Each structure stands twice: as structure tokens, then as C-alpha cells.
Amino acid sequence: MENIPLEKKILLQWLKAGYIESGLLYPTRKGVPQGGIISPTIANMTLDRLEDTIRRSVPYRSRVNFVRYADDFIVTAKSKEILVKYVAPAVKLFLDERGLELSEDKTKITFIKDGFKFLGQTFQKHGNTLHITPAKEGVLTLIRNLGTIFRKFVSAPIEALIKKLNQVLRGWANYHRHIVASKAFSHVDNYVYKMLWKMLHRRHPKKSSKWLYRKYWLTSDNRRVFGITVKRNNKFKQYKLVRTSSIGIRRHIKVKADANPYMPEYQKYFWIRKHIEGAKLLLV
């Protein structure tokens, strides 16, 4: 209540509103529900000025960097001593004043060469090169989710299975497409390919692999992809399965630090970012 720049009456209503599911009201006893629509906004506002606090806590000319996404953040420094002696106490004091504390399970001090996980990705330096890859735990979670989908749609129409798989695969691949993810993409595609063959042989136990391939693999851009042609209202429609490898890797271009999408002078800048692939001039 003391750290959110919002009218207190409205903020209090947000915190105590609860939620309705299936016609039943579930009250909010403490704070906002995790995953609630207002939760990341409140986290951002509450942790505002944390970066300034950290920078003021270290000795002059000490090199520290701060990256935060909602309530997850990273602090880097050139030595472990700076993090232990100056940064950690400053962060603890900042959070104590707001009734918060660091999660012991998720907080650690480590060397970049040993790597760390942040927002589902692993950051690790090899020599002078920083490699960012999808976290192994995240890949395993995705594979488990895909296995659940295959079991759930075991007798459903193929087009329903394709739509559900595409929703999951496209979202996951788009999130990781800006990092070193080719190996993970291939691993996921191979798993999906094996599960498809396993499912098809169960559905058509008396059909040969050649027959299955002709029926369920369509030609798209001179490549064969898993899919099916369905007739709806006297019209034929094709449903094709997304391959994460086909989404491809596209390196992210850093956004200008002072660029604001709500300011007219940056409208052209964000239009170029959106419409021109790999526009190097954006870094100037």
C-alpha cells in the first residue's frame, strides 16, 4: 500500500477483490492471486527503484548490472565480494521495507562460466562467448506436456490434435527463437515425429508405413510435413503440423534504452522494428 503510486482505495479493492469461478466467489485473503492480471504490474511497481538502490550501494566505479522481469531479477558484478558485501545486504534491506524476502531456493551467487537459469533459459559463458540456450528442465516440461496432449487426443480427429500441438509448439519456439535453440528444436521435433508414428500405427494397425506416409504427410514448400486434408462445407482445408525447426532462429535486436512506444517521435522506430527483418540501423 505504501509503495504503489495508485489511489489507495482502488488499490485496496484490487488486493481484496477475490475472483469468481463457476459462479462461486473465492476471496483473496492475502495479496493478489499468483498469475492474476494485476500481479506483474504490482510486482513491477513494488520493486521500482531497486536498480538505483543497488547502484548506490556499491563503491564508486564498481561495475554492476541489473536486469529485472516482474519479480525475477539478476545482478552481475566483476567480483563475488561486491555481491556478498554490498549488493545482497542492500537488496535485503530494500525488500524488508516492503514486507518481502528473497526466495532461498531460487537465489544464489554463481560464476558465469558455471551458468545460471533465468526465465526458462540457461546463461553460460564458454571462453569469451556467452551462450543462451533453452533450460533442460523447460524442454523436459514441454515434452511431458506434449505426451499428455497425445494421450488426451488419442481418439480425437487428427485436425484437433494438430491444432492443439501447433498452439503449444509455436508458442514455445517463438519464445526461444532468439537464442541458441537449434539443438533443442531438433530434439523436440524428433520426439513429436516418433509420437506421431506410434499413434498412427495404433490407429491403423493393418496399414503399412508407406500408406501412412502418403496419407498423413503433405507437400508444403517442397517439403513433406505432417498434416491432413479435411472437407468442410464442400471446401477442402489442410491442417499442417508446425515443426519448431522451420520457425528458425532470428537474433534479437536490442531496443533503444530511451525508446517509448507511446511517444510520437519513436513511432517510425518501432514500425521499422516490426516490419523490416534484421534492420541493423536500429542499433545506431
Side-chain angles (χ1 to χ4, degrees):
M1 291 294 291
E2 296 175 358
N3 292 279
I4 304 297
L6 185 68
E7 186 178 337
K8 302 308 176 185
K9 181 179 179 180
I10 296 177
L11 177 59
L12 191 61
Q13 290 175 339
W14 269 111
L15 295 174
K16 295 188 175 182
Y19 64 95
I20 295 177
E21 183 177 355
S22 301
L24 296 176
L25 173 63
Y26 294 84
T28 302
R29 302 297 184 187
K30 185 177 181 181
V32 295
Q34 186 173 3
I37 191 170
I38 197 64
S39 180
T41 302
I42 288 196
N44 277 324
M45 289 182 171
T46 304
L47 297 180
D48 194 24
R49 297 188 300 277
L50 175 57
E51 180 175 4
D52 294 336
T53 300
I54 290 173
R55 295 191 183 280
R56 289 196 304 268
S57 69
V58 300
Y60 181 65
R61 292 186 179 277
S62 294
R63 202 169 54 201
V64 293
N65 297 290
F66 178 84
V67 178
R68 181 167 65 85
Y69 185 87
D71 59 348
D72 293 314
F73 62 88
I74 303 169
V75 183
T76 67
K78 63 180 181 180
S79 71
K80 182 177 180 180
E81 179 186 8
I82 292 177
L83 294 175
V84 174
K85 187 176 180 180
Y86 300 103
V87 174
V91 171
K92 185 178 185 305
L93 180 61
F94 180 91
L95 296 179
D96 285 344
E97 294 174 351
R98 289 157 176 77
L100 302 172
E101 61 183 13
L102 287 174
S103 169
E104 294 183 2
D105 297 333
K106 298 180 179 180
T107 305
K108 67 176 182 178
I109 296 178
T110 185
F111 291 99
I112 188 65
K113 65 179 181 180
D114 297 326
F116 62 89
K117 297 176 180 62
F118 183 62
L119 301 179
Q121 298 175 344
T122 299
F123 296 72
Q124 188 171 9
K125 203 167 186 179
H126 299 87
N128 293 322
T129 305
L130 176 66
H131 289 153
I132 309 174
T133 58
K136 291 182 179 179
E137 294 83 356
V139 176
L140 292 176
T141 299
L142 172 67
I143 287 178
R144 284 195 292 268
N145 291 340
L146 293 173
T148 300
I149 293 173
F150 275 106
R151 290 189 293 272
K152 184 177 180 180
F153 286 77
V154 64
S155 58
I158 293 293
E159 59 268 28
L161 172 65
I162 291 176
K163 288 170 67 175
K164 185 60 178 179
L165 289 175
N166 282 349
Q167 179 183 355
V168 175
L169 291 172
R170 188 178 286 112
W172 181 83
N174 281 329
Y175 179 75
H176 292 292
R177 70 177 303 188
H178 301 293
I179 62 175
V180 184
S182 297
K183 186 176 180 180
F185 284 5
S186 297
H187 179 68
V188 171
D189 286 340
N190 289 337
Y191 172 79
V192 172
Y193 181 80
K194 292 177 181 178
M195 292 298 291
L196 287 172
W197 273 111
K198 186 177 180 179
M199 179 198 67
L200 292 177
H201 280 297
R202 286 183 176 178
R203 289 195 177 203
H204 308 282
K206 297 183 180 180
K207 298 295 183 180
S208 66
S209 296
K210 189 175 182 179
W211 184 90
L212 294 174
Y213 186 76
R214 287 199 306 265
K215 179 174 178 62
Y216 290 105
W217 266 263
L218 308 176
T219 301
S220 176
D221 297 328
N222 297 323
R223 300 182 63 180
R224 301 284 283 185
V225 298
F226 182 82
I228 190 172
T229 302
V230 179
K231 188 176 182 181
R232 293 279 191 272
N233 299 323
N234 294 324
K235 294 182 179 180
F236 291 95
K237 183 177 180 179
Q238 289 187 336
Y239 294 85
K240 300 175 183 177
L241 183 66
V242 169
R243 294 176 68 253
T244 58
S245 300
S246 67
I247 291 178
I249 304 298
R250 192 178 84 181
R251 294 294 174 239
H252 175 69
I253 300 174
K254 186 180 181 300
V255 180
K256 286 183 178 180
D258 57 349
N260 187 330
Y262 298 102
M263 296 176 66
E265 56 265 38
Y266 287 107
Q267 287 184 354
K268 181 179 179 180
Y269 171 81
F270 283 102
W271 186 92
I272 293 175
R273 281 193 65 90
K274 183 177 180 180
H275 295 90
I276 300 181
E277 188 81 16
K280 300 289 185 180
L281 60 93
L282 296 175
L283 294 175
V284 178

